[in-house]
Amino acid sequence: MTANSAIIRRKLKTFTHNRKYIRLWVVFLLFSLGGLADIPNSNLMEGCEVVRWTLMTFIALFKATLLDTILYAFRLHKFMRTMIIAFIVVYCAFCLINFCSWWLYGFGITNKLMTIIAQTNSRELLEFLPIFADDFFREINPLIFLVLVILITCSIYFAPVLLIRKYSNQILFTTAIIGFLSFCYCLITFPVGKTTLLVSVRVTKNIYQSIDERKTIKKLEDCRKVFPFPEKIKSSHKANNIVFVIGESAARDHHSIYGYPLCTTPYLDSISKDLFIFQNAVASGTATALNMECLLSFKSDNDTTQRWFEFPWLIDLFKYAGYKTFWLSNQEKSGIWSNPSAIMVSDADEITYVGAESNSDHTLDKYDTALLQPFNQAICESSLNKLICVHLLGSHIKYSKRYPPHADFIKADSILNHNNPQWMTKEKAQTVAQYDNSIRFTDAILKNMIKSIRNKTTPSVLIYLSDHGEFVYDGRNFRGRDRSSVRVPFIIYINDAYRKYNPDIVKRLYNAEKSKFSTSDVIHLIMTLSGTSYPYYDESKDILSDWFKTRTRYVDNIPWEYECDE
């Protein structure tokens, strides 16, 4: 045992005192950092930026030491050495791609990048390379780039002089052990996206998922039917700008504009007299997918025998009605929950996904403020008539990741002061506070959007609702969703120009605020607001119609058993 330990110590000492392998170690360290570069700025990690980068640096040190040790250990085995070198070359290429993509475009190796590559042919690639180089040097001053190249070259060349010291062996392997522990810590604490730490696994996983999701989307596209009776669509364009904002997981009863005791909607509260606040809107399902199938088509909550693709779709309807259509989303384009909506909006004139394109792209989560730039571009676009659909990430779990640190207004103590049953711990109160802050952040997003249409001289409307609600320890020791967590906010804002030209509809809006209805029928409401007619319109499902009928609402395709509580 002692003899074996001595041999191992001699081998390790040789590695750490070999100039060539020390230089390779520095190279591996730099590439490994590139392979991790997109993680510190993502929502996968907690803590300040310095802590995040420190953890990634130690993990890169661990990877560099591991690669160098393996390469050195098999230096005399020709076949194994060739295989290891081939792996390292591929690994370094992946790391370089990850770094360049993150540096230039804000995302590394993800499903989004795989989709872009899959849709690019060889000619487009050759045409893209000069643009890529131009983007790179636009992002970094050529002089600074030259200085960096010189510094990196010098660090690689002079590394043996700096690192070959009496205690170099201990230093390198101590940092590697810290790096391994950092790696284990991240694996344990990352809520999702654990494979992002391994760039080779990331590539393999994202290629597989990209292929699989493209096949799924193709199957859904094959189900698509031709839009019926487009020639029968007519519109008087009573609203030139229609903004349809779909929130995420926002429960009605956590909005101060609906009576919640904490201030979660300060802006909406301040303009409440200008809003139509509907008190009794219920979502058609407890999951996003089921609701999106209804919100974006003529499928109603009680249409239990037909599939979503058998109905005409909202985007297509308004395209034929003479509107330029926009789909702006901070949710994924593809994945287990989003494939139907991606197909349903695929004919929009302008489609923008500001964050992840797949539910596996965990490093691409962004705050909903990322939607404001494309929204402002859309609302200022020259087309006279526009339908702008905005899909927020809203209050999607994990709540604390839905708003930046400076928007952390509501604290756990505030929750405990107004809601303190015996099972409400400080930790649970903190979760409620984070949920409330996410709703307050959505209020700030709506503020920007409403202000953008407030002073327009053309009639403009904004409709905001949430796809479904969520229970966050409301009256019981439970967090999640069930069939009672479908009460959602439903709010409409109309500007002065719309009020001026459509006084009859304004009167109907006031009269409808207490109506009981399902959000699945929102398409009929939007048609009335815009003055659009179509054979699929059903006046009994339109709360603005004199012939609207209150009925039993369905949730998840069965009658909602909580009607009597409303």
Side-chain angles (χ1 to χ4, degrees):
M1 184 70 179
T2 306
N4 289 337
S5 300
I7 292 171
I8 293 171
R9 283 196 299 270
R10 283 199 299 272
K11 285 185 176 182
L12 294 178
K13 184 176 181 180
T14 305
F15 153 59
T16 56
H17 285 71
N18 186 299
R19 289 177 176 271
K20 182 177 75 172
Y21 284 91
I22 285 293
R23 291 190 177 112
L24 283 173
W25 179 83
V26 177
V27 172
F28 296 157
L29 172 61
L30 293 173
F31 275 104
S32 296
L33 276 172
L36 300 166
D38 57 329
I39 297 178
N41 292 320
S42 72
N43 284 334
L44 290 173
M45 301 184 70
E46 302 285 353
C48 66
E49 193 168 350
V50 174
V51 172
R52 297 180 182 197
W53 276 104
T54 300
L55 283 171
M56 291 303 105
T57 301
F58 275 116
I59 293 174
L61 286 164
F62 162 63
K63 290 184 175 184
T65 304
L66 181 63
L67 288 173
D68 220 11
T69 302
I70 294 172
L71 184 61
Y72 179 79
F74 289 96
R75 69 193 185 282
L76 301 179
H77 299 265
K78 187 175 181 180
F79 175 76
M80 288 299 298
R81 183 171 178 270
T82 302
M83 295 298 293
I84 292 167
I85 290 174
F87 171 80
I88 290 174
V89 169
V90 173
Y91 168 79
C92 290
F94 289 159
C95 289
L96 182 62
I97 292 169
N98 187 76
F99 174 77
C100 290
S101 179
W102 168 75
W103 177 262
L104 293 175
Y105 307 117
F107 58 89
I109 292 176
T110 55
N111 187 284
K112 184 174 186 175
L113 182 62
M114 294 299 110
T115 301
I116 293 170
I117 292 173
Q119 295 174 348
T120 304
N121 57 42
S122 57
R123 179 180 176 182
E124 290 171 330
L125 181 61
L126 291 173
E127 291 173 348
F128 172 73
L129 288 177
I131 299 173
F132 178 87
D134 184 60
D135 288 343
F136 184 84
F137 286 107
R138 186 171 62 248
E139 287 292 323
I140 185 169
N141 185 288
L143 181 60
I144 295 175
F145 176 71
L146 180 61
V147 172
L148 285 174
V149 169
I150 293 172
L151 288 174
I152 291 171
T153 304
C154 289
S155 66
I156 294 171
Y157 183 79
F158 292 110
V161 178
L162 298 172
L163 293 176
I164 296 180
R165 293 286 189 271
K166 182 178 179 181
Y167 298 106
S168 59
N169 182 54
Q170 292 90 328
I171 292 171
L172 288 178
F173 283 93
T174 299
T175 56
I177 291 170
I178 296 173
F180 175 72
L181 294 174
S182 300
F183 179 80
C184 294
Y185 170 78
C186 290
L187 285 179
I188 294 169
T189 58
F190 278 16
V192 290
K194 300 179 190 298
T195 57
T196 55
L197 295 167
L198 302 169
V199 68
S200 300
V201 178
R202 283 176 74 174
V203 172
T204 305
K205 179 182 176 182
N206 282 297
I207 288 175
Y208 171 78
Q209 288 185 335
S210 179
I211 294 171
D212 185 59
E213 288 173 0
R214 284 168 66 83
K215 287 180 181 178
T216 304
I217 289 175
K218 180 65 170 61
K219 289 179 182 178
L220 292 172
E221 287 176 337
D222 291 340
C223 297
R224 182 173 183 172
K225 295 188 176 183
V226 176
F227 189 89
F229 315 121
E231 71 283 356
K232 294 186 178 181
I233 298 174
K234 293 182 175 59
S235 182
S236 58
H237 302 117
K238 290 183 177 180
N240 297 117
N241 299 293
I242 305 170
V243 180
F244 182 29
V245 184
I246 303 171
E248 170 67 48
S249 303
R252 179 194 69 187
D253 295 336
H254 275 261
H255 292 66
S256 53
I257 199 165
Y258 281 94
Y260 188 63
L262 299 181
C263 185
T264 56
T265 54
Y267 178 71
L268 295 180
D269 293 343
S270 70
I271 62 164
S272 59
K273 292 182 179 180
D274 298 328
L275 301 174
F276 298 94
I277 306 163
F278 296 84
Q279 303 293 327
N280 209 326
V282 167
S284 58
T286 56
T288 298
L290 292 174
N291 286 291
M292 296 302 286
E293 291 174 4
C294 294
L295 293 174
L296 298 177
S297 77
F298 277 95
K299 177 177 169 60
S300 191
D301 56 313
N302 57 356
D303 290 318
T304 59
T305 58
Q306 290 178 278
R307 298 292 305 281
W308 56 272
F309 49 78
E310 299 179 72
F311 295 88
W313 298 341
L314 174 74
I315 291 291
D316 296 339
L317 170 69
F318 278 86
K319 280 194 71 171
Y320 284 115
Y323 284 81
K324 182 167 184 178
T325 53
F326 298 79
W327 177 254
L328 313 177
S329 176
N330 193 23
Q331 298 213 19
E332 66 268 13
K333 178 180 180 180
S334 59
I336 188 169
W337 303 118
S338 300
N339 282 326
S341 61
I343 301 301
M344 297 170 84
V345 303
S346 59
D347 281 342
D349 297 299
E350 301 286 345
I351 300 174
T352 302
Y353 289 90
V354 299
E357 292 212 4
S358 167
N359 63 348
S360 65
D361 289 348
H362 301 296
T363 61
L364 292 183
D365 284 350
K366 293 185 177 180
Y367 303 126
D368 283 332
T369 43
L371 288 163
L372 293 179
Q373 181 180 353
F375 173 79
N376 289 330
Q377 291 173 346
I379 202 68
C380 295
E381 207 263 349
S382 59
S383 299
L384 178 60
N385 303 308
K386 297 186 285 286
L387 169 69
I388 305 172
C389 299
V390 185
H391 194 190
L392 304 178
L393 200 51
S395 299
H396 193 285
I397 196 170
K398 186 176 183 181
Y399 316 130
S400 61
K401 300 297 185 183
R402 304 299 157 235
Y403 56 90
H406 65 77
D408 186 29
F409 293 102
I410 300 171
K411 307 297 182 182
D413 289 341
S414 300
I415 302 298
L416 293 171
N417 287 338
H418 95 274
N419 180 21
N420 194 11
Q422 64 181 40
W423 42 260
M424 180 65 77
T425 64
K426 187 70 175 281
E427 182 180 1
K428 291 175 181 177
Q430 181 62 29
T431 300
V432 178
Q434 291 168 350
Y435 181 71
D436 288 349
N437 280 318
S438 69
I439 289 177
R440 183 170 174 137
F441 193 62
T442 295
D443 177 79
I445 301 297
L446 293 173
K447 175 181 179 180
N448 280 274
M449 294 180 177
I450 290 174
K451 282 188 172 182
S452 69
I453 66 173
R454 178 185 281 275
N455 296 322
K456 278 195 168 291
T457 56
T458 52
S460 304
V461 303
L462 180 145
I463 304 119
Y464 169 68
L465 56 84
S466 181
D467 58 350
H468 54 77
E470 192 136 312
F471 266 116
V472 191
Y473 307 114
D474 298 299
R476 55 189 170 121
N477 190 14
F478 171 73
R479 179 167 72 98
R481 299 175 213 156
D482 61 17
R483 290 175 50 76
S484 63
S485 61
V486 291
R487 298 173 178 89
V488 294
F490 194 105
I491 296 167
I492 294 178
Y493 170 81
I494 57 177
N495 69 353
D496 289 340
Y498 191 94
R499 291 175 182 271
K500 177 181 178 182
Y501 293 110
N502 302 286
D504 56 326
I505 294 181
V506 174
K507 183 178 180 180
R508 293 186 197 179
L509 283 166
Y510 278 118
N511 293 335
E513 284 183 298
K514 294 183 180 180
S515 299
K516 293 183 178 183
F517 64 99
S518 169
T519 59
S520 64
D521 295 330
V522 67
I523 193 169
H524 305 281
L525 165 70
I526 297 175
M527 289 179 67
T528 295
L529 290 173
S530 62
T532 301
S533 62
Y534 180 58
Y536 274 75
Y537 170 78
D538 187 343
E539 59 192 12
S540 70
K541 297 178 179 179
D542 177 11
I543 58 173
L544 300 185
S545 168
D546 292 334
W547 291 273
F548 170 73
K549 294 180 180 179
T550 301
R551 58 175 175 81
T552 298
R553 291 169 287 190
Y554 280 55
V555 173
D556 295 337
N557 294 322
I558 59 176
W560 192 46
E561 62 270 30
Y562 296 95
E563 283 285 7
C564 60
D565 297 335
E566 294 297 302

